[in-house]
Amino acid sequence: MALPNVNHQSFLLTINRHRDGEIKNAAPGLHITPCFLDAENGVWVLYARFDAGTLLPKHFHTGTVHFYTTAGAWNYVEYPDDVQTAGSYLFEPGGSVHTFSSKDGAEGFMVVHGANVNFDQDDNYMDIMDAGVIEQALHEVAKATGQTMPRYIRPGGGARFSK
């Protein structure tokens, strides 16, 4: 029996953050290399660099998160003794709530399913961040600041009938 070749590839879908670049200050103190942005399925894969002193809004995850720290250190304000350092892998279940903080700066690779629901310091709703919002925001920041949008993988393209 021959192996099916449903999705023949004439090239590999690969990026390199050193070659393809990043969006500097996608948010204050946050530099993003988009790797995979799938708004249709709610999956986003990013490489992020956080400047020293970065504090992100408290957020609720609607899905799971895998975060691998490659450099520096960071923690969630709610878990001050659980500092993530280079080499740390963190799994976050859907429904988790926390506030990212990096005193000295950090870098890492994240795979996120679903959205972040963001809140201000008084726990008031701010906004929702998902793959589609991130993709749009990165393009807007790149255009507004004259940066080149890095190449990234963007699968799919809407629902349609099979042949």
Side-chain angles (χ1 to χ4, degrees):
M1 178 172 149
L3 292 174
N5 193 355
V6 177
N7 286 319
H8 171 73
Q9 290 181 263
S10 55
F11 57 90
L12 293 177
L13 295 170
T14 183
I15 64 165
N16 182 305
R17 70 182 191 87
H18 299 292
R19 177 193 65 215
D20 297 320
E22 66 184 1
I23 297 297
K24 291 179 177 32
N25 291 304
L30 177 58
H31 315 286
I32 297 291
T33 299
C35 300
F36 180 93
L37 298 172
D38 185 352
E40 189 170 326
N41 291 299
V43 178
W44 32 298
V45 180
L46 308 172
Y47 189 87
R49 289 188 316 109
F50 305 92
D51 288 347
T54 298
L55 179 67
L56 299 180
K58 180 184 288 186
H59 56 277
F60 168 86
H61 288 286
T62 64
T64 59
V65 177
H66 303 267
F67 192 112
Y68 184 81
T69 304
T70 58
W74 64 275
N75 66 282
Y76 287 128
V77 172
E78 297 80 5
Y79 304 93
D81 297 329
D82 254 336
V83 177
Q84 304 297 301
T85 58
S88 297
Y89 163 75
L90 175 66
F91 172 77
E92 302 172 20
S96 59
V97 178
H98 38 247
T99 310
F100 178 98
S101 175
S102 181
K103 179 181 169 192
D104 299 319
E107 296 184 27
F109 180 79
M110 64 186 79
V111 178
V112 182
H113 294 260
N116 285 7
V117 181
N118 295 315
F119 300 90
D120 68 15
Q121 64 275 10
D122 297 319
D123 292 338
N124 296 306
Y125 168 81
M126 288 175 31
D127 55 32
I128 293 177
M129 184 175 65
D130 65 7
V133 169
I134 290 168
E135 183 175 33
Q136 180 180 357
L138 290 175
H139 280 278
E140 289 173 1
V141 169
K143 184 177 179 181
T145 60
Q147 297 181 66
T148 300
M149 184 66 192
R151 181 172 78 157
Y152 60 96
I153 299 165
R154 187 177 194 263
R160 60 189 177 276
F161 287 109
S162 62
K163 294 181 181 182

